[in-house]
């Protein structure tokens, strides 16, 4: 049986109840789906363990490639204009989140901050990524989205962790649960 690293992300979360675990990711590059000739933006986690491919449009792929390669155009393109608007209005792009996927459609949110007030804006992930790259803002993906759409980029490490998890399960004793529950009760009493 295989246990995905995504389970470990959820187990290690220190988020408050109801908050979803976020994994920071970076743009690995743009690929091309040879079957459909559609561009794909590929994100990877900071440990290079998971990659998340998202099919995007060619205009967005071009915008991301221009940013990756540091190409400057004579006149601002759409994503440059949006980044300029954010800056000129006194906002800062704090982060983007790719936070949902439904029927192979991904959803993202831009988080703009000004004077301590946060403004959330719905966006397509491709646009959000292109803007984040121009604003030097971090890209986060929910553990749920990553679990549903990512591919492993380090199968050897995945197999090692799966074996560690199997060993843990085989060696766990009822007294371990008692210690865990006692620790939970002590936390709740404080």
């Amino acid at each position: 049986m295989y246990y995905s690293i995504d389970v470990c992300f959820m187990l290690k979360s220190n988020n408050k109840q109801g908050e979803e675990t976020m994994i920071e990711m970076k743009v690995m590059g743009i690929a091309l789906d040879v079957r459909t000739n559609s561009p794909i933006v590929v994100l990877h986690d900071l440990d290079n363990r998971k990659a998340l491919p998202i099919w995007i449009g060619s205009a967005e792929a071009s915008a991301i490639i221009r940013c990756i390669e540091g190409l400057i155009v004579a006149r601002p393109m759409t994503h440059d204009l949006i980044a300029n608007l954010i800056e000129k209005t006194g906002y800062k792009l704090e982060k983007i989140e790719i936070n949902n996927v439904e029927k192979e459609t991904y959803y993202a949110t831009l988080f703009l901050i000004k004077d301590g007030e946060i403004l959330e804006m719905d966006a397509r992930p491709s646009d959000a990524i292109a803007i984040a790259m121009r604003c030097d803002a971090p890209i986060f993906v929910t553990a749920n989205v990553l679990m549903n759409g990512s591919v492993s980029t380090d199968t050897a490490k995945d197999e090692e962790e799966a074996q560690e998890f199997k060993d843990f399960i085989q060696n766990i004793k009822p007294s371990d649960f008692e210690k865990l529950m006692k620790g939970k009760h002590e936390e709740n009493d404080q």
Side-chain angles (χ1 to χ4, degrees), residues 79-103:
H79 299 99
D80 302 314
L81 176 64
I82 293 169
N84 289 340
L85 279 169
I86 291 169
E87 180 186 341
K88 299 290 183 193
T89 57
Y91 282 90
K92 178 183 186 300
L93 183 59
E94 182 178 67
K95 65 180 176 177
I96 70 158
E97 290 180 0
I98 300 172
N99 48 27
N100 198 8
V101 58
E102 291 179 17
K103 298 179 184 172

Side-chain angles (χ1 to χ4, degrees), residues 30-33 36-41 54-62:
I30 299 290
L32 189 65
D33 183 337
T36 63
N37 274 345
S38 296
I40 305 166
V41 62
I54 302 174
W55 277 251
I56 62 174
S58 57
E60 293 80 11
S62 294

Side-chain angles (χ1 to χ4, degrees), residues 132-162:
M133 292 176 74
R134 282 158 177 76
C135 294
D136 199 29
I139 300 167
F140 289 94
V141 177
T142 62
N144 183 48
V145 168
L146 195 60
M147 190 168 32
N148 289 323
S150 68
V151 293
S152 176
T153 57
D154 190 346
T155 53
K157 186 72 173 165
D158 289 345
E159 288 171 8
E160 178 185 319
E161 286 183 352

